[in-house]
Amino acid sequence: MKIQYLGHASLLIEAAGERLVVDPFITGNPMANGKIDVNAIKADYILVTHAHQDHILDVERIAANNPGIMLVSNFEIVNYFGQRGIQGHPMNHGGSWHFDFGRLTYVNAIHTSSFPDGSYGGQPGGFVIESEGKALYIAGDTALTYDMKIVPMIARLDAAILPVGDNFTMGPEGAAMAADFLGLDRIVGYHFDTFDLIKIDHGRAYDAFAKQGKELILPEIGDIFEL
Ligand code: NI
Ligand code: MN
């Protein structure tokens, strides 16, 4: 699996020859300006964790550029974009499905999930992707939750991407505890620094992990990780 950080909570994943874009928010992110070209994104799937603007802004644009793309999200989000002509695969918490890239499980998150127009976006979630013999957990926007202890029972994890920006989600201290729940020594952080309310002190964040004997990676936009 290859994972590229597109900024904020956006990821581009290559798994078993398929391309998955997660929570696309490029055109609204000034930090991605000049680094990521949303119109150059080629994808087979769009995965959406919840309906907030900073996770769905470029769904329709990417779908228009990639005919035949499949949206995978909760039932309500798939319904919403289905009415806008985008085909989708609806899921809900605890459910798994075998796609051509591998097995996907939609897991719990503690957060909210309304669309920018106020309509109901279902309950927020995260994803566990099992592909090419590896397992990746993408937490979505969430608090630290005891449910994270279940995630490594779904699949022994090789990597996890967790929000660390604080204020709207857990911060670095919570994410370091989450690393412990997940049985991982190293975590990739996301959902930080994009807006004033989620700007974090990187030194403090690294220290929070070091205190737990863990390591935090704060990626630069465009960074690529191989699993
Ligand atoms: Ni959110
Ligand atoms: Mn968010």
Side-chain angles (χ1 to χ4, degrees):
M1 250 191 287
K2 195 163 102 177
I3 303 143
Q4 184 178 27
Y5 179 56
L6 304 182
H8 194 53
S10 304
L11 307 165
L12 183 63
I13 297 173
E14 277 183 50
E18 302 295 310
R19 292 167 67 86
L20 291 58
V21 62
V22 183
D23 285 357
F25 177 74
I26 315 297
T27 57
N29 181 2
M31 296 174 75
N33 211 331
K35 293 183 181 148
I36 306 294
D37 177 5
V38 70
N39 291 315
I41 293 175
K42 297 268 169 287
D44 306 290
Y45 292 90
I46 305 178
L47 273 50
V48 169
T49 60
H50 66 292
H52 286 159
Q53 171 92 320
D54 59 316
H55 298 258
I56 62 151
L57 182 67
D58 292 316
V59 165
E60 290 182 81
R61 180 186 298 258
I62 290 169
N65 289 341
N66 292 270
I69 202 165
M70 170 81 73
L71 172 70
V72 182
S73 188
N74 68 32
F75 179 80
E76 289 79 6
I77 291 172
V78 165
N79 244 347
Y80 179 96
F81 285 112
Q83 287 163 10
R84 287 158 178 77
I86 300 171
Q87 63 170 338
H89 179 107
M91 299 185 73
N92 221 323
H93 300 99
S96 297
W97 188 259
H98 285 272
F99 294 91
D100 50 6
F101 58 83
R103 180 183 186 233
L104 186 76
T105 306
Y106 191 64
V107 297
N108 292 354
I110 295 184
H111 192 67
T112 55
S113 178
S114 50
F115 282 95
D117 64 9
S119 59
Y120 178 56
Q123 297 294 307
F127 294 108
V128 178
I129 301 172
E130 294 167 74
S131 182
E132 303 170 7
K134 305 279 185 182
L136 168 69
Y137 171 45
I138 301 165
D141 286 8
T142 184
L144 172 67
T145 153
Y146 224 63
D147 288 348
M148 287 171 181
K149 292 201 171 205
I150 297 171
V151 173
M153 299 177 194
I154 296 167
R156 194 196 59 77
L157 297 176
D158 295 283
I161 302 175
L162 306 179
V164 294
D166 222 334
N167 191 67
F168 294 121
T169 67
M170 60 187 170
E173 292 79 8
M177 283 185 261
D180 199 51
F181 288 2
L182 298 168
L184 291 170
D185 290 330
R186 198 203 278 174
I187 291 295
V188 175
Y190 76 167
H191 208 274
F192 65 95
D193 286 357
T194 318
F195 319 112
D196 283 345
L197 290 174
I198 59 170
K199 281 205 170 29
I200 58 165
D201 180 325
H202 291 205
R204 195 202 87 195
Y206 293 134
D207 284 351
F209 272 70
K211 272 184 204 149
Q212 308 273 342
K214 309 277 184 198
E215 185 190 348
L216 173 65
I217 297 164
L218 294 174
E220 301 277 346
I221 294 177
D223 279 359
I224 291 173
F225 301 91
E226 296 260 8
L227 283 191

